[in-house]
Amino acid sequence: MIKNRENMLKMLDVMLDEDVDYNKRLEAYEFLLEDCEEIVDDMLAKLYSLEGETGKMLMEVLAGYKGNKAIFMGLVSYLYKGEDVALFARLIGSYGDENGIQVLKTFCDEYEPNYNEYMEIRNAVEELGGDFDLKQDFTDDPLYRYLKGLDEPEEDSRRSPFEDLFRPRRESEEFEDDSEDELGDVDDELGAYEDDEDECDDCDCHHDDCQHEHCDCHDGE
């Protein structure tokens, strides 16, 4: 689509219309991100009557057009709304106005940003060329604790989740070994019993090799 004023204003209306399919609004958003300086004042005029996600979307578009004090103040206003501190700290940093250094440091000092917000504020200040020396305690912040490894699991919980899968197998193998030993003992007992049946009552000999002349083994000979 050709980027003339008529098409720019048309796409602006599409992006701001919350009844339009979101994918079409997103296409309009991407269209307006570059080379639309011609309608910056028109976008600013719309901004003051917007709020929520639609206002944030327009503010993100405006953040791409540098050097406008009204846009800078719009970014600061959205930062102080607190709806998305990390996003607007990042946008202020990238906007390039050095006044953002003091704005961001004051905001961080007056409010209690979480660890993610704090890091975005610090990065933005440094991007603008400032020094960030504000320290805060984040030992209770879940993200901070996770990144710093402060919530390591206890020793018992470090056991492999697959350990239980292998334990029954080992126990069954032990059972099989015990069973084989028991079966071997039974076989030995049966063998001994069979040998006892072959023994002669008179002389305790074995029939095949009996040499006793008065033994009943010889009756049938």
Side-chain angles (χ1 to χ4, degrees):
M1 181 182 292
I2 298 174
K3 286 199 172 181
N4 54 38
R5 180 174 176 81
E6 179 182 357
N7 287 336
M8 291 176 191
L9 291 174
K10 178 181 178 181
M11 296 302 281
L12 178 60
D13 288 338
V14 170
M15 186 185 75
L16 300 182
D17 189 346
E18 296 179 356
D19 293 328
V20 174
D21 179 75
Y22 181 75
N23 289 328
K24 292 183 178 179
R25 295 179 67 197
L26 188 59
E27 290 177 5
Y29 165 86
E30 293 173 350
F31 178 88
L32 294 167
L33 283 174
E34 296 180 346
D35 304 322
C36 291
E37 291 87 349
E38 186 176 346
I39 65 164
V40 164
D41 289 340
D42 298 275
M43 288 192 280
L44 282 169
K46 297 280 188 181
L47 180 66
Y48 301 121
S49 62
L50 296 173
E51 57 185 15
E53 293 300 318
T54 300
K56 287 168 59 177
M57 184 179 286
L58 180 55
M59 197 69 252
E60 286 185 66
V61 170
L62 285 167
Y65 298 95
K66 314 294 186 183
N68 189 307
K69 289 295 182 182
I71 294 176
F72 174 74
M73 292 308 298
L75 292 170
V76 173
S77 175
Y78 268 85
L79 174 72
Y80 272 84
K81 284 183 179 181
E83 295 176 358
D84 198 335
V85 171
L87 170 64
F88 286 101
R90 186 163 61 250
L91 291 176
I92 289 172
S94 64
Y95 199 67
D97 191 320
E98 292 184 357
N99 291 314
I101 296 173
Q102 192 57 45
V103 169
L104 291 165
K105 293 178 74 171
T106 299
F107 178 86
C108 189
D109 189 46
E110 292 178 351
Y111 292 84
E112 295 183 359
N114 60 38
Y115 183 67
N116 179 54
E117 296 167 343
Y118 173 88
M119 292 302 296
E120 289 293 350
I121 292 171
R122 190 186 77 174
N123 292 340
V125 169
E126 293 176 350
E127 184 177 0
L128 291 169
D131 294 324
F132 194 82
D133 54 2
L134 299 175
K135 303 296 182 181
Q136 294 192 22
D137 182 7
F138 292 105
T139 53
D140 292 330
D141 186 283
L143 178 60
Y144 177 84
R145 295 185 67 82
Y146 172 76
L147 294 175
K148 299 299 182 180
L150 299 178
D151 289 326
E152 289 292 332
E154 296 180 359
E155 291 296 328
D156 290 344
S157 63
R158 293 183 181 182
R159 183 170 56 84
S160 169
F162 302 105
E163 188 171 327
D164 289 338
L165 296 178
F166 295 103
R167 178 178 291 112
R169 181 179 178 183
R170 290 198 297 268
E171 290 175 351
S172 64
E173 290 173 350
E174 291 173 0
F175 175 76
E176 291 176 358
D177 293 341
D178 291 343
S179 298
E180 290 176 358
D181 291 341
E182 291 176 1
L183 288 175
D185 293 340
V186 171
D187 289 340
D188 292 341
E189 291 178 1
L190 288 176
Y193 176 74
E194 291 174 354
D195 290 342
D196 288 345
E197 285 188 331
D198 290 336
E199 290 182 358
C200 178
D201 292 337
D202 291 333
C203 64
D204 294 329
C205 67
H206 293 281
H207 297 296
D208 293 337
D209 58 355
C210 180
Q211 302 295 325
H212 198 285
E213 61 181 12
H214 298 294
C215 179
D216 291 337
C217 299
H218 301 281
D219 290 346
E221 294 181 358

